[in-house]
Amino acid sequence: QLFGYNHLREGQLEAVEAYLNNRDTFVSIKTGGGKTFCYVICALIFEGITIVISLLKALMEDQKAKLVNLGIPWTSIYANTVQSRNEQSKIFEEIALGFTKIIFITPEKLCLNREFQHFISNMYKVAKVRFVIDEAHCILDYGNFRESWKKLGLLKKSWPLAPIMLLTATCTYQDAQDIRTSLGIPSENFAMIRGSSFERKEITIEVYKRKDNREHFSNELINLIKMHEGGRTIIYCATQSGCDELSAILQPLLPDKNLGIYHGGLGDEQRESIMSRWKDGKIQIMIGTSAFGMGINFSNVYLVILV
């Protein structure tokens, strides 16, 4: 009822039962299938703290917005450049007093901050901490350029009895086993919950040969966008500079559309402002790298282009 469900969705009951029984639980369910529900319900039942390790600040903000709407107490801990030490000390006090059920952090904060690790160890001593790794496939995909994703084996080395829930929509069976091995999770305590189907009949995939001529290329993009006037568009570029260049090309050709750019080269305040405008429907076309949109539910997106 809290989530507005008439009944549980596929895999949710199995995931919740396994995690509450202190098993390391791998949950692979298609996007929109209710993975967030699995750890939030467990966090509400569990007497201690659930620490959610998340890829991006934008992703944390999206998850937190859902919790606010549900009236669930949460907090987030970022790098000291975003939050002062005084702010973080206050957060630790609120957690110790039981005012918070869920903490969102980045893997960098977990792996590099000794003070936070000490805090976790104190909670672990009284069996009041457990973990969630959101977008768990990043352990394999992002380890080459975000070293902290490779270091999450720290969880089992330091707090071996604290269960981990791993959430993803994009892993194969072998990927799941590779992630388990990377984290040092024993196979006998590993529960794997996978959806029976990842088919999305409402999604159509089309492949076009990219035009070498810049004008022809931009015209083709505009034609695609105009074919989907009823909704919003996301265009993914491989590089930050590619986003900037494409925006400079398209904006003069689409004067009646509000374009946004989102990538890791922007400052925190810029990204937050752009994300807020997108969520409010003030941006119709978003041009970004893979930093935008991972694991976040957006409504009214009719067209996604990868260039």
Side-chain angles (χ1 to χ4, degrees):
Q1 291 179 344
L2 182 66
F3 279 75
Y5 294 166
N6 293 322
H7 55 81
L8 293 179
R9 300 178 184 178
E10 181 184 30
Q12 288 180 327
L13 178 60
E14 294 85 349
V16 169
E17 287 180 338
Y19 193 48
L20 289 178
N21 284 318
N22 293 322
R23 299 188 69 188
D24 299 304
T25 307
F26 186 93
V27 183
S28 182
I29 300 174
K30 66 183 179 182
T31 300
K35 292 184 291 295
T36 299
F37 169 91
C38 296
Y39 79 78
V40 171
I41 289 298
C42 293
L44 291 175
I45 296 171
F46 181 52
E47 291 185 359
I49 291 297
T50 298
I51 297 175
V52 181
I53 301 163
S54 188
L55 172 67
L56 302 166
K57 187 178 178 183
L59 183 52
M60 294 185 203
E61 295 298 329
D62 185 71
Q63 295 290 318
K64 283 155 43 181
K66 295 177 184 177
L67 298 185
V68 168
N69 292 334
L70 295 171
I72 298 171
W74 57 267
T75 191
S76 54
I77 301 177
Y78 303 128
N80 289 342
T81 54
V82 179
Q83 291 172 318
S84 69
R85 291 184 65 86
N86 287 339
E87 287 178 299
Q88 293 190 3
S89 295
K90 184 178 179 181
I91 288 171
F92 290 150
E93 290 176 10
E94 291 177 350
I95 294 167
L97 292 171
F99 295 159
T100 296
K101 297 293 292 182
I102 297 173
I103 307 174
F104 292 93
I105 61 168
T106 61
E108 286 80 9
K109 183 66 181 179
L110 172 71
C111 295
L112 302 177
N113 190 288
R114 297 287 185 183
E115 182 182 359
F116 187 62
Q117 291 174 19
H118 180 69
F119 164 78
I120 295 174
S121 294
N122 287 336
M123 299 297 290
Y124 178 75
K125 289 175 184 176
V126 291
K128 288 194 174 183
V129 67
R130 55 180 55 209
F131 301 99
V132 175
I133 301 178
D134 199 11
E135 305 295 338
H137 55 273
C138 292
I139 293 170
L140 302 179
D141 296 342
Y142 277 50
N144 290 331
F145 60 94
R146 282 182 69 174
E147 284 291 320
S148 292
W149 281 101
K150 285 184 176 179
K151 297 177 180 178
L152 290 178
L154 168 75
L155 298 176
K156 282 301 175 188
K157 289 179 182 177
S158 301
W159 311 288
L161 299 181
I164 304 171
M165 178 177 281
L166 302 114
L167 305 175
T168 182
T170 60
C171 274
T172 65
Y173 176 85
Q174 187 57 53
D175 287 338
Q177 295 302 324
D178 291 344
I179 290 169
R180 180 187 65 77
T181 301
S182 174
L183 294 176
I185 295 173
S187 58
E188 60 270 18
N189 196 50
F190 190 60
M192 184 179 296
I193 315 298
R194 301 188 75 221
S196 59
S197 174
F198 290 85
E199 183 180 9
R200 303 297 294 262
K201 294 182 179 180
E202 73 275 19
I203 297 176
T204 301
I205 298 176
E206 298 179 353
V207 180
Y208 296 84
K209 184 176 180 180
R210 178 167 176 165
K211 301 292 192 298
D212 293 330
N213 181 281
R214 177 171 168 172
E215 182 178 351
H216 291 168
F217 170 64
S218 58
N219 286 338
E220 189 167 58
L221 287 180
I222 290 170
N223 288 335
L224 285 170
I225 292 169
K226 289 183 176 179
M227 287 169 58
H228 299 83
E229 288 279 8
R232 296 187 290 175
T233 296
I234 302 174
I235 304 176
Y236 284 107
C237 299
T239 64
Q240 296 175 10
S241 60
C243 295
D244 298 333
E245 292 169 6
L246 186 58
S247 177
I249 293 171
L250 292 182
Q251 185 65 86
L253 301 174
L254 295 166
D256 59 330
K257 302 288 186 183
N258 289 324
L259 273 66
I261 300 175
Y262 192 102
H263 55 63
L266 303 176
D268 286 337
E269 290 186 3
Q270 286 178 291
R271 289 200 300 270
E272 286 184 31
S273 174
I274 292 167
M275 183 65 77
S276 177
R277 290 172 58 214
W278 169 264
K279 289 181 178 179
D280 291 341
K282 296 176 182 178
I283 293 176
Q284 289 83 47
I285 301 171
M286 183 68 82
I287 302 172
T289 62
S290 59
F292 179 77
M294 183 176 292
I296 302 175
N297 292 327
F298 297 129
S299 63
N300 199 30
V301 176
Y302 286 9
L303 178 64
V304 178
I305 302 174
L306 177 63
V307 298

